[in-house]
Amino acid sequence: MDKRLYRSKTNRTIAGVCGGIGEYFNIDPTIVRLLWIGFCLAGGAGIIFYIAALIIIPEE
């Protein structure tokens, strides 16, 4: 089976990026969201990476 990374349509808070990453790695998307918030608070790099992921990762 070909496993692909997509932005989630069902498990989304803003744009489905964290939900899609959580589904891809088979972990709870809440953990991904908390890590992403940590990156945002630690210098703001998380915001840039989120926008990049939003543009690069296709929707499901």
Side-chain angles (χ1 to χ4, degrees):
M1 181 176 172
D2 192 23
K3 192 173 182 182
R4 305 196 87 191
L5 178 61
Y6 291 106
R7 288 185 289 135
S8 178
K9 279 186 172 182
T10 57
N11 195 354
R12 64 185 335 158
T13 299
I14 297 175
V17 174
C18 294
I21 292 171
E23 290 172 4
Y24 182 79
F25 289 110
N26 200 24
I27 58 174
D28 187 8
T30 305
I31 295 171
V32 178
R33 289 182 184 105
L34 290 173
L35 290 171
W36 215 288
I37 290 170
F39 285 126
C40 288
L41 296 176
I47 297 169
I48 295 168
F49 289 129
Y50 192 89
I51 293 169
L54 178 64
I55 295 168
I56 294 170
I57 300 172
E59 191 168 25
E60 189 173 41

